[in-house]
Amino acid sequence: DSKSNNAAVAQILNHDYATALNTLQNVKKPDATTYYLKAIVGARTNQQQQVMDNLRQAIKLDRKMLDRAKNDLEFSAFNLTYL
């Protein structure tokens, strides 16, 4: 029942994407990792807009997320050129 990034990771690993997204949307103090995880959920559910919006927000909060995303296989099917 925890609303944390770690709880969402566990839910993502269990392929429970709807619950993971709900968990991430209820994190009290979302950070770059929260938005990055939302982007992963978007990638796994083929929601391009969700991927891009959340990656932009993650990068806005932490520029290091850009390099991480460009090397992450989760996003290999998405054009990250415009981030």
Side-chain angles (χ1 to χ4, degrees):
D1 280 340
S2 174
K3 302 299 182 190
S4 68
N5 292 337
N6 288 338
V9 168
Q11 293 158 347
I12 291 168
L13 291 173
N14 284 320
H15 306 279
D16 191 355
Y17 305 125
T19 303
L21 186 58
N22 182 292
T23 297
L24 292 164
Q25 289 171 334
N26 288 293
V27 170
K28 289 190 190 255
K29 294 183 180 181
D31 58 14
T33 301
T34 308
Y35 291 102
Y36 194 87
L37 291 170
K38 284 183 180 183
I40 289 173
V41 170
R44 290 196 177 189
T45 58
N46 202 30
Q47 301 293 322
Q48 182 173 356
Q49 194 64 47
Q50 182 178 336
V51 171
M52 302 310 278
D53 290 347
N54 286 293
L55 281 179
R56 282 188 191 99
Q57 185 62 30
I59 293 164
K60 184 177 178 182
L61 295 173
D62 182 353
R63 287 293 296 163
K64 294 176 188 171
M65 291 292 183
L66 178 58
D67 290 331
R68 183 175 178 184
K70 286 183 176 180
N71 292 309
D72 193 332
L73 290 178
E74 293 284 355
F75 306 117
S76 63
F78 299 90
N79 182 357
L80 305 183
T81 305
Y82 301 104
L83 293 176

